[in-house]
Amino acid sequence: MIEITDIVDASSWEDFVLSHPQGNVFQSFMMTEAYRKTRNYNPVCLAAVDSASGDILAVMQATIISEFGGLLSAFSSRSILQGGPLFVDSPPGQEAARLLVENYNRFVGNKVVYTQIRNMWDTQDSAEMLAVLGYEYDQHLDFLIDLDRNKDDIWQDIHKSRRKGINRAEKNGMVVRKVSSTEELTACYDLVDETYKRFKVPIADISLFEAVYDDLAPTGFADFFIAVLGNEVVGTRITLNYKDMVYDWYAGSKPEIDYVDELLVWHVLKENAGKYKVFDFGGAGHPDKPYGVREFKRRFGGEMVNFGRYEKVHSRARSSIAGFGFSVYKKLMV
């Protein structure tokens, strides 16, 4: 018999994620703790356990993100599930995953407008199960760069125009190093915040960055890089590092400073060359829609993949209201 529970020993959860072939930082217990410390974030952690043996068969961690509290919460909350669910590759594991998502749907049904599953690998073996449970698939691109080689080989795969920009940034005296103080962390967040505002995209509260910096960075599970020109912080790039993957998490820069983003990406690549296997460059948008960020990422020589996303709208009425509210929110952002 399979039991669905939200009470799982932290070390058992972490061991399951760490040993799973697709185990990733977003499903790790340490990320759960970071989310719990974040304003307006509420992690939902569920596990499917074999009641006879006590073995974990599947886990999933989603995060409910609320833009507003009180009565508006149900109209402004969404749930993001990245890199999950994870389940044992067997018929019992697949059934455990189905029960897990089914129970999750009931739990969040009146709490969020929609759930989005952001895939980090090919999930065709789960597509039918998710479709039955109300999740619609859509295409979404990503770039993966091979880190399991020396930095010179990585450099040769970068487009000539990007290499020129990197060389010019260094010639102009720009340097990249790790954040070393709370003041620099705040500067780092401010750059990300300003960048997201330019694109009219909501951003997490600084408490998320503080939690990850305090809890994950000291043990190497996260790196906070800043680019400095003279005495001014002009760019930042934050990565999450887990098992054999470096994940490009957040980035920000001053738009008037040339080549800062190129230099930061190159620094991340050369710092991690030979230490990890893959640099996940993050989302590159829908293949049928223009997306400037995709063209920036393409020129670093990675492999473009289309793992896509799944989305379930839990309430069409609330979704319509939320869509209208978000359009107003974007117009008001400065």
Side-chain angles (χ1 to χ4, degrees):
M1 183 176 176
I2 298 173
E3 176 188 3
I4 306 300
T5 179
D6 61 354
I7 303 175
V8 180
D9 175 68
S11 61
S12 297
W13 180 294
E14 204 71 85
D15 288 345
F16 181 85
V17 175
L18 193 62
S19 62
H20 195 281
Q22 278 84 42
N24 60 86
V25 67
F26 297 102
Q27 293 299 303
S28 69
F29 192 80
M30 60 183 170
M31 205 66 190
T32 305
E33 292 300 293
Y35 289 144
R36 283 181 178 147
K37 295 178 180 180
T38 302
R39 182 173 176 267
N40 297 330
Y41 273 45
N42 182 26
V44 178
C45 303
L46 297 173
V49 180
D50 185 320
S51 55
S53 66
D55 294 337
I56 296 176
L57 297 174
V59 300
M60 63 181 291
Q61 173 178 263
T63 306
I64 297 175
I65 304 171
S66 303
E67 298 301 329
F68 305 101
L71 295 174
L72 293 177
S73 177
F75 297 94
S76 66
S77 297
R78 64 194 185 277
S79 183
I80 304 299
L81 169 59
Q82 185 152 354
L86 302 175
F87 55 91
V88 175
D89 186 16
S90 68
Q94 293 168 355
E95 174 62 8
R98 185 190 69 79
L99 291 172
L100 204 58
V101 177
E102 192 174 66
N103 276 264
Y104 163 82
N105 285 348
R106 285 198 293 267
F107 179 77
V108 302
N110 62 350
K111 295 180 174 66
V112 301
V113 176
Y114 68 89
T115 294
Q116 187 177 86
I117 300 177
R118 298 177 178 176
N119 301 324
M120 298 177 70
W121 61 88
D122 188 332
T123 58
Q124 287 305 302
D125 57 345
S126 303
E128 184 177 350
M129 177 267 288
L130 290 169
V132 169
L133 293 173
Y135 288 81
E136 296 183 3
Y137 177 84
D138 197 10
Q139 299 184 77
H140 197 82
L141 301 173
D142 189 6
F143 283 96
L144 303 178
I145 296 178
D146 178 14
L147 290 176
D148 195 18
R149 51 188 175 149
N150 64 59
K151 64 180 182 180
D152 294 331
D153 290 338
I154 295 175
W155 177 257
Q156 290 305 314
D157 277 352
I158 297 174
H159 192 276
K160 185 178 179 181
S161 63
R162 290 280 175 261
R163 296 203 303 262
K164 279 186 176 180
I166 293 164
N167 288 331
R168 285 174 181 170
E170 291 178 334
K171 186 177 180 180
N172 290 337
M174 193 182 300
V175 296
V176 176
R177 57 177 173 78
K178 289 184 180 180
V179 168
S180 60
S181 67
T182 55
E183 291 78 15
E184 288 183 347
L185 178 63
T186 300
C188 161
Y189 177 80
D190 289 343
L191 280 169
V192 177
D193 185 37
E194 291 165 8
T195 300
Y196 275 55
K197 282 180 178 176
R198 285 201 304 273
F199 292 100
K200 300 186 183 298
V201 177
I203 184 177
D205 183 73
I206 192 173
S207 51
L208 175 60
F209 293 70
E210 291 169 339
V212 171
Y213 182 73
D214 290 341
D215 299 343
L216 274 68
T219 52
F221 288 109
D223 282 321
F224 288 70
F225 295 104
I226 53 172
V228 180
L229 185 61
N231 295 319
E232 183 182 14
V233 177
V234 296
T236 184
R237 208 143 201 122
I238 307 165
T239 66
L240 300 176
N241 318 315
Y242 189 82
K243 293 177 64 174
D244 59 2
M245 177 177 285
V246 175
Y247 184 82
D248 193 38
W249 192 40
Y250 278 101
S253 62
K254 290 186 176 294
E256 67 272 19
I257 304 297
D258 293 332
Y259 313 120
V260 57
D261 294 302
E262 287 90 335
L263 183 61
L264 279 160
V265 173
W266 167 237
H267 188 86
V268 170
L269 294 175
K270 71 177 181 179
E271 282 291 299
N272 293 297
K275 300 177 185 177
Y276 295 88
K277 291 186 178 180
V278 178
F279 176 63
D280 188 325
F281 216 163
H286 192 286
D288 296 334
K289 299 176 183 178
Y291 189 49
V293 173
R294 182 191 313 142
E295 296 312 308
F296 173 80
K297 294 181 178 183
R298 187 196 302 275
R299 291 171 179 258
F300 282 89
E303 174 192 4
M304 187 169 68
V305 295
N306 190 352
F307 297 144
R309 291 177 171 179
Y310 296 95
E311 189 169 296
K312 177 181 175 65
V313 176
H314 297 278
S315 169
R316 294 290 174 186
R318 281 187 279 127
S319 178
S320 297
I321 296 171
F324 173 75
F326 184 63
S327 65
V328 173
Y329 173 79
K330 288 179 71 174
K331 290 178 182 178
L332 294 175
M333 288 183 75
V334 293

